[in-house]
Amino acid sequence: MGKYLSLSSNHSSNKRSLEGLKTFSYLEELILDNNLLGNDLLLPRLPHLHTLMLNKNQITELESLLDHLAEVVPSLQYLSLLGNMACPNELVCKEKDEDDYQRYRYFVLHKLTNLKFLDTRKVTRREREEALVRGAFMKVVKPKASNDAASTSPEMHYTPLPSGSRDLTNHRGILGKCRYIYYGKHSEGNRFIRDDQL
């Protein structure tokens, strides 16, 4: 039974299914680079798999992928996700830098504690210690699109002015009476200034 399988650049117009891999239960190395695989990637349980290459795919959701890998490939030690949006680096996105990539490494190592290599770099002892302490907090959070904002009318914006002053053709000022008079002697800015400093 083979222990190494490469399915790189195996593009297919139909649904890309990896269900057939379950017949390779003793598989140790799997290369799935450049296959247009996305967030719906589902691997069968491969208990002996220690090396997985998923470079240059279309994976954007990191946490769900890591949770899935932790469940189905418990012996994983070598993982590479370069070329995916889920792996933040300057090759994929100009806005990302080395700090973004390092936070990504801490989060991956927090989820997959047995990794020895991540992408092209060996996992250091310091990274592993950092991942234990801070890895859970390195998750990239994306804002969700709010349906409430879409349901409100675009013409209705908040304004502190009374409704009578909202008419654009009506340019008169509004006068009001205020009960409080501000002299400034008790303001924060004046509290520490003495008269001789003025």
Side-chain angles (χ1 to χ4, degrees):
M1 194 54 88
K3 296 184 177 183
Y4 170 85
L5 182 61
S6 177
L7 297 173
S8 295
S9 301
N10 192 17
H11 301 296
S12 174
S13 58
N14 58 1
K15 176 113 173 101
R16 290 167 291 281
S17 174
L18 300 172
E19 191 177 320
L21 291 175
K22 65 184 173 189
T23 59
F24 298 93
S25 58
Y26 289 97
L27 200 61
E28 294 180 1
E29 296 181 33
L30 178 60
I31 301 177
L32 295 170
D33 294 345
N34 201 22
N35 274 306
L36 303 175
L37 297 171
N39 296 328
D40 58 349
L41 167 72
L42 288 176
L43 289 172
R45 183 163 174 81
L46 300 168
H48 303 287
L49 192 76
H50 60 71
T51 301
L52 178 61
M53 303 293 181
L54 290 168
N55 301 308
K56 293 185 180 177
N57 281 293
Q58 297 175 347
I59 300 166
T60 59
E61 296 296 325
L62 183 62
E63 186 173 21
S64 57
L65 172 69
L66 298 177
D67 289 340
H68 177 62
L69 293 180
E71 183 182 333
V72 298
V73 286
S75 304
L76 194 64
Q77 297 178 8
Y78 302 87
L79 174 66
S80 187
L81 295 170
L82 291 171
N84 291 285
M85 290 300 290
C87 175
N89 62 36
E90 295 169 290
L91 297 174
V92 176
C93 184
K94 292 181 212 171
E95 289 84 32
K96 303 298 180 185
D97 60 13
E98 187 61 32
D99 290 336
D100 294 315
Y101 180 70
Q102 191 59 58
R103 284 190 290 273
Y104 148 84
R105 284 181 69 86
Y106 291 146
F107 186 66
V108 173
L109 294 173
H110 164 71
K111 290 282 191 178
L112 302 175
T113 56
N114 294 332
L115 283 187
K116 293 181 179 177
F117 268 85
L118 177 57
D119 301 326
T120 58
R121 295 192 337 216
K122 185 177 181 179
V123 175
T124 65
R125 186 174 57 84
R126 185 186 158 281
E127 279 183 318
R128 200 172 298 284
E129 290 169 356
E130 244 350 88
L132 281 171
V133 176
R134 301 184 330 166
F137 307 108
M138 297 297 155
K139 175 182 172 182
V140 177
V141 179
K142 298 177 185 173
K144 293 182 179 177
S146 174
N147 292 339
D148 297 337
S151 65
T152 59
S153 171
E155 294 97 26
M156 188 62 189
H157 297 289
Y158 171 76
T159 175
L161 299 175
S163 59
S165 65
R166 289 184 192 153
D167 183 12
L168 297 177
T169 59
N170 186 359
H171 296 289
R172 58 194 164 128
I174 295 179
L175 228 17
K177 194 172 184 182
C178 181
R179 279 196 261 164
Y180 302 104
I181 301 172
Y182 176 70
Y183 292 107
K185 62 182 177 182
H186 297 294
S187 72
E188 290 294 321
N190 294 337
R191 181 184 294 181
F192 303 106
I193 299 174
R194 296 189 306 270
D195 289 336
D196 61 337
Q197 293 176 328
L198 295 174

